[in-house]
Amino acid sequence: MTSKKVIELFYDVVSPYSWLGFEVMCRYRQVWNIELKLRPAFLGGIMHGSGNKPPGLVPKKFLYMAKDLNRLAGYFGVPLQTPSDPFEAMFNKGSLSAMRFVTAVQEREKDGDKQVEQVCRELWKRIWSDDKDITEPGSLSEAAMKAGLSDSEIKEALKLSTTKEIKDKLKRVTQEALDHGAFGFPLLVCHVNGKPEMFFGSDRFELMAHCIGEKWLGPQPGKSAAKL
Amino acid sequence: MTSKKVIELFYDVVSPYSWLGFEVMCRYRQVWNIELKLRPAFLGGIMHGSGNKPPGLVPKKFLYMAKDLNRLAGYFGVPLQTPSDPFEAMFNKGSLSAMRFVTAVQEREKDGDKQVEQVCRELWKRIWSDDKDITEPGSLSEAAMKAGLSDSEIKEALKLSTTKEIKDKLKRVTQEALDHGAFGFPLLVCHVNGKPEMFFGSDRFELMAHCIGEKWLGPQPGKSAAKL
């Protein structure tokens, strides 16, 4: 039994705005009376299922996004940098194997979510900070190693990530996000008085705080909370 | 000579997020050390010129926007309500005559911008609060009357609004917004150290405040500032 408000965070490591939302929520679970549930899902499935198009396809929007992300990264204290070829990284290579791997890590982790949190952060760092691949097994292993997983844990997660069980789980979580009304990521679902309240993007935290009766203290509530 | 930072607000009264941005900026010009320049422009021209599509065309996005606007309206203290047929109001009827009228009101107003501010607010109230037309001359007159303009002022503004001079001015301001990188409204252009910094939407105020060295106090900085 707990009086904590449950907040589900649906995200994909291919999405830079998801990274911002992820770091903010990881910080705020130390600040607000909430239980944060990490819900790794597949953005490609969300775009397909909702009929939405990536915002970067409109040239002026793409230019603005690069600028916006750069400014937000500084303000949020997240070391985000646009890769040299974002279209190649986001749309051609994509994140299916990465999100299956994350799902496998989460499936194997029984005690809390420290591993899945760290693995996701390292994957974001690869694609959205270091301009590195996140599709090859070697890339996933490297990220997981940096996240502190042992060789055997990584080997088992990689093996598990290609099973039907994990593929189906990722599909299920993605469908759940669609059922909540998702058309992009990050998606935050706050369970307030038994009713889900859905917030899209990384720019509704102040409003969300207001809705759940908490106080918004900016994206870096006490620098010590920002462990990156 | 003034040390005030100049912020230009490009907007169209057909855009609900522009209304939120407009009210916030009208409040903050009493709070921040800024000079706010109202730049009424034509959203249809922005969408056409940037190749952008209205977000409401994706059904899940449309549903979310209605919910988002409803929540934001309450939090921002703006009496915004989605019209019964938003597609008809926004896309079929549009805002060309309204924005030409607003441009004419602004052109005629020599001392400050109280008239143009009030006329815009009354037009937003019509379309985005009272579900009323903003395309007919009678509708524009009614809004202007509520905004405190005299009969002769309204008559002259209506006449002026159909001249080449005003049509060209609206085109010019719209093109200026496009040149700043606009793909939608509201668009805020802050002139900081001689360099324009562009912010799109009504969800970057906290970041914008940070960039111009001011403090964000939420969308209602002292309820007394919210005169609606």
Side-chain angles (χ1 to χ4, degrees):
Chain A
M1 291 291 281
T2 170
S3 67
K4 288 185 173 183
K5 287 183 190 88
V6 171
I7 299 184
E8 297 180 84
L9 171 64
F10 294 88
Y11 64 94
D12 184 318
V13 298
V14 85
S15 150
Y17 288 102
S18 288
W19 192 9
L20 300 177
F22 174 88
E23 295 299 351
V24 165
M25 290 311 301
C26 286
R27 294 167 190 170
Y28 269 89
R29 64 170 154 187
Q30 318 296 334
V31 180
W32 291 340
N33 187 33
I34 57 168
E35 184 191 341
L36 179 66
K37 290 196 174 172
L38 300 180
R39 309 299 309 272
F42 180 49
L43 183 57
I46 297 293
M47 300 309 268
H48 184 258
S50 64
N52 198 10
K53 293 270 176 297
L57 297 184
V58 175
K60 279 178 193 287
K61 220 182 248 189
F62 176 78
L63 286 172
Y64 177 73
M65 270 181 63
K67 173 85 185 168
D68 185 48
L69 282 169
N70 186 41
R71 279 190 306 222
L72 286 170
Y75 185 56
F76 278 54
V78 175
L80 191 152
Q81 286 197 313
T82 304
S84 52
D85 189 345
F87 282 95
E88 172 68 12
M90 295 181 75
F91 307 128
N92 292 345
K93 298 179 80 173
S95 59
L96 188 55
S97 59
M99 295 317 292
R100 282 177 178 162
F101 181 66
V102 167
T103 303
V105 170
Q106 188 177 45
E107 186 70 13
R108 293 189 73 261
E109 188 172 21
K110 294 302 165 206
D111 189 19
D113 56 9
K114 268 292 145 212
Q115 280 193 345
V116 69
E117 178 185 330
Q118 279 298 346
V119 167
C120 290
R121 185 170 286 125
E122 292 300 332
L123 287 169
W124 265 306
K125 277 190 190 166
R126 283 188 75 86
I127 177 171
W128 277 102
S129 194
D130 302 337
D131 199 3
K132 285 182 180 165
D133 170 82
I134 59 161
T135 65
E136 301 295 330
S139 307
L140 304 174
S141 299
E142 220 177 289
M145 217 171 56
K146 285 199 176 173
L149 274 69
S150 70
D151 286 354
S152 67
E153 283 175 321
I154 295 170
K155 210 172 145 186
E156 280 167 40
L158 275 174
K159 198 174 153 196
L160 185 60
S161 73
T162 61
T163 61
K164 187 171 182 309
E165 174 196 353
I166 287 301
K167 290 178 184 176
D168 285 348
K169 189 183 172 194
L170 183 60
K171 271 186 207 160
R172 264 201 319 278
V173 177
T174 304
Q175 186 59 49
E176 242 186 87
L178 282 170
D179 293 344
H180 277 298
F183 50 86
F185 281 156
L187 183 81
L188 289 143
V189 180
C190 302
H191 297 271
V192 185
N193 304 326
K195 208 177 108 240
E197 285 276 346
M198 194 262 263
F199 298 87
F200 166 68
S202 292
D203 41 34
R204 292 293 182 277
F205 294 117
E206 185 183 328
L207 177 67
M208 195 179 89
H210 175 73
C211 290
I212 64 170
E214 294 280 359
K215 204 171 150 71
W216 173 241
L217 304 164
Q220 302 192 64
K223 296 275 175 179
S224 65
K227 284 173 264 141
L228 279 170
Chain B
M1 290 292 284
T2 170
S3 68
K4 287 186 173 181
K5 287 182 190 89
V6 171
I7 300 184
E8 297 179 84
L9 171 64
F10 294 88
Y11 64 93
D12 184 318
V13 297
V14 85
S15 150
Y17 288 103
S18 288
W19 191 9
L20 300 177
F22 174 88
E23 295 300 350
V24 165
M25 290 311 301
C26 286
R27 294 167 191 170
Y28 270 90
R29 65 170 154 186
Q30 317 296 336
V31 180
W32 290 341
N33 186 34
I34 58 168
E35 183 191 341
L36 179 66
K37 289 195 173 171
L38 300 180
R39 309 297 311 271
F42 180 48
L43 184 57
I46 297 293
M47 301 309 267
H48 184 257
S50 65
N52 198 9
K53 294 268 176 296
L57 296 185
V58 174
K60 278 178 193 287
K61 220 182 249 189
F62 177 78
L63 286 172
Y64 176 72
M65 269 181 62
K67 173 86 185 164
D68 184 48
L69 282 170
N70 185 41
R71 280 191 305 223
L72 286 171
Y75 185 55
F76 278 55
V78 175
L80 189 152
Q81 286 198 313
T82 303
S84 53
D85 189 345
F87 282 96
E88 172 67 12
M90 294 182 76
F91 307 130
N92 292 346
K93 297 179 79 174
S95 58
L96 188 55
S97 59
M99 294 317 292
R100 282 177 178 162
F101 181 66
V102 166
T103 303
V105 170
Q106 189 178 44
E107 187 71 12
R108 294 189 73 260
E109 188 173 21
K110 293 303 167 205
D111 190 20
D113 57 8
K114 269 291 145 211
Q115 281 194 344
V116 68
E117 178 185 330
Q118 278 298 345
V119 168
C120 289
R121 186 171 285 124
E122 292 301 332
L123 287 169
W124 264 307
K125 278 190 190 166
R126 284 187 74 87
I127 177 171
W128 276 102
S129 194
D130 301 337
D131 200 3
K132 285 184 180 163
D133 170 82
I134 59 159
T135 66
E136 301 295 330
S139 308
L140 304 174
S141 298
E142 219 176 290
M145 217 170 56
K146 285 199 175 171
L149 274 69
S150 70
D151 287 354
S152 66
E153 282 175 323
I154 295 169
K155 209 172 146 188
E156 279 168 38
L158 275 175
K159 198 173 153 196
L160 185 60
S161 74
T162 60
T163 61
K164 188 170 181 308
E165 173 196 354
I166 287 300
K167 290 178 184 176
D168 285 349
K169 189 183 171 194
L170 182 61
K171 271 186 207 158
R172 263 200 320 276
V173 177
T174 304
Q175 186 58 48
E176 242 186 87
L178 282 170
D179 293 344
H180 277 299
F183 50 86
F185 281 157
L187 183 81
L188 289 143
V189 180
C190 302
H191 296 272
V192 184
N193 304 326
K195 207 177 107 233
E197 284 276 347
M198 194 263 263
F199 299 87
F200 166 68
S202 291
D203 40 33
R204 292 292 183 278
F205 295 118
E206 184 183 329
L207 176 66
M208 195 180 89
H210 175 73
C211 289
I212 64 170
E214 294 281 358
K215 205 171 149 72
W216 173 243
L217 304 164
Q220 301 192 63
K223 298 273 176 180
S224 65
K227 284 171 264 142
L228 277 169

